[in-house]
Amino acid sequence: MPISTQLFLACMTVMRILCFAVAALFLMLAVRAQFDPEVKLSWLTSTAGAVVFIVTGLACGMLRRALQRRIQGGASK
């Protein structure tokens, strides 16, 4: 497997983990926004941000899985 493919797989894994971590932070912000009037973002905006990062993390996972299947399929031929 070329180094560029390995690097891309690693980057997609890191992006997926970071997306889910940021989504968790947005969800914690949404909980805090519900009870703390000092938080400027509303809970709806924070939850929407979390949903966006969850969808992005899922897309990174799907792309990584598709690339992994293509690599494994190409190596067996």
Side-chain angles (χ1 to χ4, degrees):
M1 180 171 14
I3 187 72
S4 61
T5 307
Q6 289 176 345
L7 185 61
F8 190 69
L9 283 173
C11 287
M12 294 311 296
T13 302
V14 169
M15 286 294 296
R16 184 175 184 207
I17 291 169
L18 288 176
C19 283
F20 289 135
V22 171
L25 291 174
F26 266 109
L27 288 174
M28 288 191 288
L29 182 64
V31 170
R32 184 169 177 186
Q34 224 171 0
F35 300 109
D36 190 0
E38 295 295 317
V39 177
K40 300 297 181 197
L41 256 76
S42 69
W43 66 270
L44 181 63
T45 306
S46 301
T47 305
V51 168
V52 166
F53 276 100
I54 289 171
V55 168
T56 306
L58 291 173
C60 286
M62 289 171 50
L63 181 61
R64 186 190 182 289
R65 202 170 311 124
L67 181 62
Q68 187 70 36
R69 268 188 267 134
R70 184 168 179 167
I71 290 168
Q72 289 173 350
S76 64
K77 289 183 179 177

